Amino acid sequence: MTPSEIIYSLVNYGEEKGLLDPLDRIYAINKLLRLFREDSYEEPKNSFSIEEAVQAGIGLGKEKKLTELENLNEEDAFEGEMIDALLPRPSQVKEIFFKKYQESPKAATDWFYQFSINARYVRTDRLKKNIVYKVKGEKIDLDITINLSRPEKDPKEIAKAQQVKSSSYPLCLLCKENEGYYGTFTHPGRANHRIIPLKLNGEDFYLQYSPYGYFNEHCIVLKKEHSPMTMNEKTFKRITDFLEMFPTYMLGSNAELPIVGGSILTHEHYQGGDYLFPLAKAGEEESFTFKKFPLIKAAIVKWPLSVLRVTSSSKEEIVAFCTYVLDKWRNYSDESLGIIAKDEVIHNTVSPIGRRVNGAYQFDLALRNNRTSTEYPLGIFHSHPEYWHIKKENIGLIEVLGLAILPGRLQKELELCRLQLLKPSTDIDPSIEKHLPWLMEVKAKHPELNEKNAEAILKEEVGLVFEKVLSDAGVFKRDEKGKAGFIRFIKTL
Ligand SMILES: [Zn+2]
């Protein structure tokens, strides 16, 4: 492909997808000429697909030593720069978004999501590689994703990252300074990234979509300032403001404490989108009303984690009630169940998830505790060692909702496990040694296992392990003792 053909294909794509105004065509061609260090353009006959053009562009960039970074980030960064030449400026993106918002909130988010895909910021082509399936668990339905696009993080590493004072620019992957940033050796390219400014609780936030897109329209709402995650009244105010603004979306927050929090604790952010998670579909058992909060209905959710579902038509009252539950929980201990609210540090917090249901506001408050012990150094209410072969990472917001994001290594390992089950060998691949006790159980449980059904059985059993991991994360277990404990806590409200 000649440089002119690459450029021609890129601008054609930009126009077709509505990213590039025909009035800006020549300008974009000239920007791309400079990017490729070419000085003249001749309109070619052939136009190629965006994938072909991008690959040829990266090839040209490498050949001319224009990509600079020389690691995995370099191709993405250079691609981002190519696509950026086709995109409107951030202020124009914001203008279009709010023009669409006048039509309806959904029109605005529909447009921005499609824009983020067309801008190749949300990499749907890569997300298609993820292994995605559903499992009917023993008690609940589960969504499983084996993530083939992101490395596994150790909770201790995440905790360590929180201690390290960031000194680079942008300070983190979420910071607003990523918008249009070319990238570095350690920081991924964000030249084709655009964010939408929002006011929540009178404070400045930005809306973007997640490049990893774990579920439909997976969005991130990030604070203007790079400041650590917090959990207090403001959390509930910001979430309800967002739900008022975008009633078709859910929005939740990771807990602010290590182990029970998400992978980024250093920058205040929320995650949401348009997806009906297993938790949202889970039934309720015992329900409660409160004299001090007449407009609140609460119920215990049939879920392995300890989730209190709170519903109200009043935005103010639900914020007040959720804040009240959080404050009560922060100081609540039940030593008979191993729940200790604080010692030198605070251990109790919540993972809140907000949504609209028939116009009302609803929060699922998952009660969390991040204490560790000598027996469970990574967390008492965290995946226990016997399940680490499947899931060792934090049980964050997305997992609380019933969607397992499992490490990519499992793809290869499950295939080796399948072969081991079908044709047991003493020469065992080291990568599946950790799975052996589990494989023994699977084999005993499934005498019907054969060539045809082995893969499906293993995938289902992975889901059942995830269900047990969620139980580990529950502070009030789903047995008589645990249920009574949960009710004792609710009675203090
Ligand atoms: Zn940041």
Side-chain angles (χ1 to χ4, degrees), residues 321-341:
F321 183 74
C322 289
T323 309
Y324 178 70
V325 174
L326 171 66
D327 292 344
K328 282 280 187 182
W329 175 246
R330 280 253 194 253
N331 296 297
Y332 189 81
S333 295
D334 184 338
E335 294 197 17
S336 71
L337 299 172
I339 301 165
I340 297 168

Side-chain angles (χ1 to χ4, degrees), residues 289-317:
T289 52
F290 305 89
K291 277 203 189 92
K292 275 187 276 181
F293 299 92
L295 300 177
I296 294 289
K297 275 204 296 190
I300 293 175
V301 183
K302 292 181 186 168
W303 197 248
L305 282 113
S306 310
V307 178
L308 185 67
R309 179 167 292 163
V310 181
T311 313
S312 181
S313 53
S314 162
K315 193 179 157 191
E316 289 69 32
E317 192 150 318

Side-chain angles (χ1 to χ4, degrees), residues 203-377:
E203 305 163 272
D204 291 316
F205 282 84
Y206 294 93
L207 171 72
Q208 68 163 84
Y209 287 100
S210 167
Y212 306 107
Y214 290 135
F215 49 88
N216 186 45
E217 298 181 38
H218 180 177
C219 69
I220 299 171
V221 175
L222 55 109
K223 198 164 191 260
K224 185 179 178 187
E225 293 81 26
H226 175 88
S227 59
M229 296 287 291
T230 56
M231 185 61 59
N232 52 43
E233 185 186 18
K234 283 183 182 172
T235 309
F236 304 111
K237 283 188 169 169
R238 291 163 182 162
I239 293 175
T240 48
D241 274 3
F242 181 89
L243 297 175
E244 188 173 37
M245 206 172 172
F246 301 102
T248 61
Y249 273 15
M250 48 71 59
L251 192 74
S253 174
N254 262 307
E256 83 288 23
L257 303 180
I259 297 174
V260 295
S263 55
I264 298 181
L265 296 171
T266 50
H267 194 134
E268 187 107 77
H269 70 286
Y270 303 88
Q271 294 183 76
D274 181 11
Y275 186 69
L276 194 60
F277 284 92
L279 174 60
K281 292 185 269 186
E284 299 166 6
E285 39 193 38
E286 206 127 350
S287 60
F288 305 87
T289 52
F290 305 89
K291 277 203 189 92
K292 275 187 276 181
F293 299 92
L295 300 177
I296 294 289
K297 275 204 296 190
I300 293 175
V301 183
K302 292 181 186 168
W303 197 248
L305 282 113
S306 310
V307 178
L308 185 67
R309 179 167 292 163
V310 181
T311 313
S312 181
S313 53
S314 162
K315 193 179 157 191
E316 289 69 32
E317 192 150 318
I318 204 166
V319 168
F321 183 74
C322 289
T323 309
Y324 178 70
V325 174
L326 171 66
D327 292 344
K328 282 280 187 182
W329 175 246
R330 280 253 194 253
N331 296 297
Y332 189 81
S333 295
D334 184 338
E335 294 197 17
S336 71
L337 299 172
I339 301 165
I340 297 168
K342 58 183 103 171
D343 33 45
E344 298 84 56
V345 288
I346 291 170
H347 294 301
N348 281 7
T349 185
V350 300
S351 305
I353 297 117
R355 64 180 79 90
R356 302 293 294 272
V357 177
N358 302 324
Y361 291 87
Q362 185 171 80
F363 271 94
D364 280 343
L365 301 175
L367 307 177
R368 313 296 301 273
N369 176 290
N370 79 342
R371 212 159 59 84
T372 57
S373 65
T374 18
E375 192 184 0
Y376 300 117

Side-chain angles (χ1 to χ4, degrees), residues 126-153:
R126 287 183 192 163
L127 297 173
K128 275 182 204 146
K129 290 180 193 152
N130 285 345
I131 300 168
V132 177
Y133 62 97
K134 289 179 189 288
V135 170
K136 207 153 186 58
E138 276 168 23
K139 301 261 170 61
I140 57 168
D141 292 335
L142 299 154
D143 289 347
I144 310 290
T145 291
I146 298 178
N147 182 22
L148 298 169
S149 56
R150 213 182 184 189
E152 190 173 6
K153 284 188 190 173

Side-chain angles (χ1 to χ4, degrees), residues 171-172 174-175 226 267:
L171 274 168
C172 80
L174 291 177
C175 277
H226 175 88
H267 194 134

Side-chain angles (χ1 to χ4, degrees), residues 285-286 288 300 306 332 334 336-337 339 475-492:
E285 39 193 38
E286 206 127 350
F288 305 87
I300 293 175
S306 310
Y332 189 81
D334 184 338
S336 71
L337 299 172
I339 301 165
V475 287
F476 298 111
K477 301 304 177 203
R478 300 282 295 155
D479 52 18
E480 288 310 310
K481 207 176 143 201
K483 283 182 187 177
F486 201 164
I487 291 169
R488 271 202 305 280
F489 168 65
I490 294 170
K491 296 282 187 205
T492 70

